[in-house]
Amino acid sequence: MKKQKSLSVLLIILLMCTLLVGGCAQSANKVSESGQTANQSQQTQKESKNTEIKNPDTMVIAYDDQPTTLDPHIAYDPESLTAISQVYEGLVTYKGSSSEVIPQLAERWEVTDNGKVWTFYLRKGVKFTDGTPFNAEAVKISFERLLKINQGPAWMFDMIKNIDAVDENTVKFTLSYAFVPFLHALANPSGPLIISPKAIKDHEKNGDLAQDWLRQNMVGTGPYKLESWNMGQDFTLVKNPDYWGGWEGKHVSKIIQKVVQESSSQRLMLESGDVDFANAIPRDVIDQLSKNPDITVQKNKTVNLLNIFFNNQRGALKDKRVRQAMAYGFSYDDCINGVFNGMGTKMQGPLPVGMWSHDDSIKPYEKDVEKAKKLLEEAGYPGGGGLKFTMMVETGAEDYKKVAELFQSDMKNLGIDIDIQVLAWATMKDLLSSPKTAPDMFISGFYPDYMDPDDVLYAMYNSKTIGSINQSFYINKEVDKLLDEARQSTDSSHREELYKKAQQIINEDCPDIFILTRDNITTMRSWVKGFEYHPLLVNRYYFMYKE
């Protein structure tokens, strides 16, 4: 997903993205790996047993957790982004399920030959839901706020040097260096969203840029606005009647996001039609569920990673031999085929297979108990040496818990004791902000924001992102140098060379256990129409309806 001064770079990256997106399989009444589009697969569904649509003007979603914040400049989790993306908008977005960047709040844009100055010409007549006009000053204020807060998604835009409101409807970004994925970074749902400047000014307290107020309130330009948030229960958005995109055609007027932590309860609610989407259906019931003609199951390949993240600054975990030993002691095949029912692809190093610049020569970690024991002995921990570690798992993440239990069993065979602790993501997020408060290890996923190795390697393994995305607290000066240089280069061949060198070093250092990329499984009622899966975007319910 990129657009930039070099046409050759653009074509290479867009081709890569198109291949990835085009490889996403979609299905209706079975978990299919065909190349059908969402609309085609919906048309091939069996006739539904239940034709009565519940709440036809409301989309109801069951999530296993609630948003951690509604502040678009801080949020970085799926539950928060799902809510935020219905209310806030950016300058650009993606078209449907493709990698094509299209206008949103900007009507058009241009970039200088050196790739350092981007000028956006804004859509006129747009208003925030508090009545404030959308203009260049609003864009400037929002981006300056994002960079000043410097949390979550801010790392993506650290190359922004200046933001100038040229006139009412023109904004100019000057970058400190030509950043190849800049346009696609602007299209992602994390961070580059525009907040009402009046809301920021009116609710700022002690210089907090309204962070406290915006954690539970939203004022955007999007199709929906916040009606209520009952903590731990549900979250309701209603139609913004003045939305600039209009309400012609088929849409829902209300969105309700319910917190349903038990996967069995989610399944029952989906089967009864009490919810339209459920996000935590166990993979071991997917085949059975897909036989229900009232339910659509759609499977898509992704680049969403699942890793076991080590605290690289904690005790014995500072020694890469200990980390490598645990990586060699893990049952990858049992994880993929047992926990994920084969719905995933084993990782080969830190970058997903199929992503541009992936190094196919990397030797992945495979289960080798004898090698693991030898590495522990070399590190001074023969027979496990009494090593004990705490592993944190997110509440409601049943798949993660199963992976943790498999890891716990594998490590017991090496003489290493693993204590599994289950915590709410909001609590985990706070603990992971520092190596001092973070656990010894935790299991989690990583969802790329834009389809470029920068968004995986720089985000997760550059020391500048420690405390935000680099939650392994990994530091390697040579890796930093390679990733910094690759980020600032516009030569695709040179970037690829740098990324491959970085992958080799990171793989050797083993800051994490690189497990798999997960297939995305969407479970929804068959009466939901207009759904299009995008590998980088959360669901956008404005484009969906029930019929």
Side-chain angles (χ1 to χ4, degrees):
M1 308 174 207
K2 1 237 104 269
K3 174 173 182 175
Q4 93 126 50
K5 76 179 187 78
S6 170
L7 181 59
S8 59
V9 172
L10 168 65
L11 291 174
I12 289 168
I13 299 173
L14 285 181
L15 177 60
M16 174 274 295
C17 296
T18 301
L19 289 172
L20 276 170
V21 175
C24 296
Q26 302 177 345
S27 170
N29 291 299
K30 62 180 180 178
V31 180
S32 166
E33 294 190 2
S34 70
Q36 289 181 310
T37 65
N39 289 335
Q40 287 173 327
S41 51
Q42 287 171 356
Q43 291 168 2
T44 62
Q45 292 173 11
K46 300 174 184 176
E47 186 176 350
S48 173
K49 297 181 298 183
N50 181 7
T51 57
E52 182 182 353
I53 299 175
K54 292 189 177 181
N55 304 312
D57 200 33
T58 302
M59 199 69 74
V60 185
I61 307 101
Y63 258 100
D64 55 358
D65 206 349
Q66 67 177 355
T68 58
T69 178
L70 300 182
D71 191 328
H73 298 161
I74 296 175
Y76 220 33
D77 60 276
E79 292 79 13
S80 298
L81 294 176
T82 295
I84 287 167
S85 294
Q86 319 307 322
V87 174
Y88 290 107
E89 296 176 308
L91 296 175
V92 296
T93 187
Y94 289 108
K95 181 179 181 180
S97 60
S98 77
S99 60
E100 180 185 353
V101 176
I102 61 173
Q104 194 168 53
L105 290 176
E107 292 185 321
R108 60 187 178 89
W109 55 88
E110 58 189 35
V111 59
T112 55
D113 290 341
N114 66 6
K116 292 184 179 181
V117 181
W118 290 77
T119 303
F120 292 85
Y121 301 93
L122 308 181
R123 193 177 298 277
K124 299 175 182 178
V126 177
K127 290 187 177 182
F128 293 93
T129 52
D130 63 359
T132 304
F134 164 75
N135 54 28
E137 190 64 25
V139 176
K140 176 180 170 66
I141 289 171
S142 277
F143 271 89
E144 288 178 344
R145 179 181 187 270
L146 169 69
L147 295 172
K148 187 172 182 179
I149 291 175
N150 195 30
Q151 294 189 39
W155 69 271
M156 286 182 275
F157 301 101
D158 63 3
M159 78 296 299
I160 295 178
K161 186 177 180 180
N162 290 308
I163 308 162
D164 298 310
V166 178
D167 58 37
E168 187 76 4
N169 300 299
T170 309
V171 64
K172 181 173 68 175
F173 292 82
T174 302
L175 312 185
S176 56
Y177 54 86
F179 180 50
V180 173
F182 184 65
L183 191 65
H184 291 273
L186 290 176
N188 86 80
S190 307
L193 305 176
I194 312 304
I195 304 171
S196 164
K198 183 177 186 299
I200 296 172
K201 181 179 179 181
D202 289 352
H203 299 284
E204 182 173 24
K205 291 183 179 179
N206 301 317
D208 75 340
L209 298 175
Q211 288 183 62
D212 185 57
W213 189 81
L214 285 168
R215 187 176 68 84
Q216 298 183 50
N217 296 275
M218 295 192 283
V219 187
T221 59
Y224 298 96
K225 58 183 179 179
L226 179 64
E227 181 180 73
S228 63
W229 183 8
N230 299 311
M231 295 284 188
Q233 298 181 46
D234 56 51
F235 182 95
T236 302
L237 303 175
V238 295
K239 171 181 177 179
N240 169 13
D242 301 318
Y243 179 50
W244 63 267
W247 289 94
E248 293 183 7
K250 298 177 180 180
H251 308 275
V252 293
S253 296
K254 181 180 286 189
I255 301 167
I256 299 175
Q257 190 170 317
K258 293 186 175 182
V259 178
V260 184
Q261 293 186 341
E262 292 295 328
S263 58
S264 58
S265 298
Q266 285 202 16
R267 179 182 178 181
L268 289 172
M269 294 172 76
L270 185 65
E271 290 177 324
S272 68
D274 290 332
V275 299
D276 302 301
F277 286 85
N279 88 316
I281 301 296
R283 280 168 166 74
D284 58 5
V285 303
I286 288 297
D287 285 342
Q288 181 182 356
L289 197 64
S290 66
K291 297 174 183 177
N292 185 336
D294 292 325
I295 294 172
T296 294
V297 176
Q298 185 168 308
K299 175 184 175 182
N300 301 88
K301 291 293 183 183
T302 77
V303 288
N304 296 342
L305 316 180
L306 180 70
N307 287 0
I308 292 174
F309 295 86
F310 296 127
N311 185 337
N312 284 238
Q313 297 185 29
R314 174 75 53 76
L317 293 173
K318 292 179 180 179
D319 190 330
K320 74 177 181 181
R321 292 171 297 185
V322 174
R323 303 193 298 267
Q324 290 172 337
M326 288 189 280
Y328 280 118
F330 185 63
S331 301
Y332 298 91
D333 291 342
D334 290 346
C335 179
I336 295 171
N337 297 318
V339 177
F340 290 92
N341 289 77
M343 299 178 195
T345 303
K346 188 179 184 302
M347 289 286 287
Q348 182 189 1
L351 195 66
V353 175
M355 183 173 273
W356 173 73
S357 84
H358 176 270
D359 189 345
D360 295 333
S361 72
I362 283 181
K363 185 177 180 181
Y365 289 89
E366 305 281 359
K367 187 169 184 179
D368 187 336
V369 174
E370 292 307 312
K371 190 167 187 175
K373 289 180 178 179
K374 184 178 179 181
L375 283 164
L376 286 174
E377 187 173 351
E378 289 176 3
Y381 302 98
L387 287 174
K388 295 182 179 181
F389 299 112
T390 297
M391 168 179 273
M392 286 189 183
V393 180
E394 179 184 352
T395 301
E398 294 301 319
D399 288 343
Y400 291 6
K401 188 176 179 182
K402 291 176 183 177
V403 175
E405 289 168 349
L406 175 62
F407 180 74
Q408 183 184 53
S409 175
D410 284 339
M411 294 306 102
K412 188 175 182 180
N413 293 333
L414 299 180
I416 299 173
D417 182 45
I418 303 294
D419 176 33
I420 300 172
Q421 297 182 0
V422 180
L423 294 174
W425 173 247
T427 304
M428 284 182 62
K429 183 173 177 287
D430 289 341
L431 294 173
L432 291 169
S433 63
S434 166
K436 294 181 180 179
T437 57
D440 298 320
M441 59 191 73
F442 72 102
I443 182 166
S444 187
F446 180 80
Y447 301 76
D449 299 294
Y450 47 93
M451 203 70 73
D452 189 273
D454 175 82
D455 188 41
V456 177
L457 300 178
Y458 183 92
M460 297 177 70
Y461 302 111
N462 192 292
S463 63
K464 294 185 182 71
T465 65
I466 281 180
S468 57
I469 314 301
N470 181 350
Q471 293 173 330
S472 302
F473 309 103
Y474 171 70
I475 300 174
N476 183 305
K477 292 182 179 179
E478 186 177 358
V479 169
D480 281 353
K481 183 179 178 181
L482 290 167
L483 296 179
D484 286 341
E485 185 176 347
R487 192 166 218 231
Q488 299 182 32
S489 173
T490 58
D491 182 331
S492 60
S493 297
H494 184 54
R495 292 184 80 215
E496 182 175 13
E497 180 184 351
L498 294 169
Y499 284 132
K500 286 185 175 181
K501 287 181 181 178
Q503 288 171 70
Q504 291 285 350
I505 298 170
I506 295 166
N507 191 64
E508 170 67 20
D509 284 349
C510 194
D512 311 323
I513 295 181
F514 317 116
I515 303 177
L516 56 80
T517 53
R518 295 165 290 172
D519 295 350
N520 183 76
I521 309 298
T522 302
T523 52
M524 57 189 167
R525 293 293 299 188
S526 296
W527 57 48
V528 174
K529 310 298 180 184
F531 171 81
E532 289 187 290
Y533 173 76
H534 196 287
L536 301 182
L537 296 179
V538 295
N539 292 342
R540 295 178 289 183
Y541 297 105
Y542 173 72
F543 298 102
M544 300 183 214
Y545 58 97
K546 294 158 75 168
E547 188 173 85

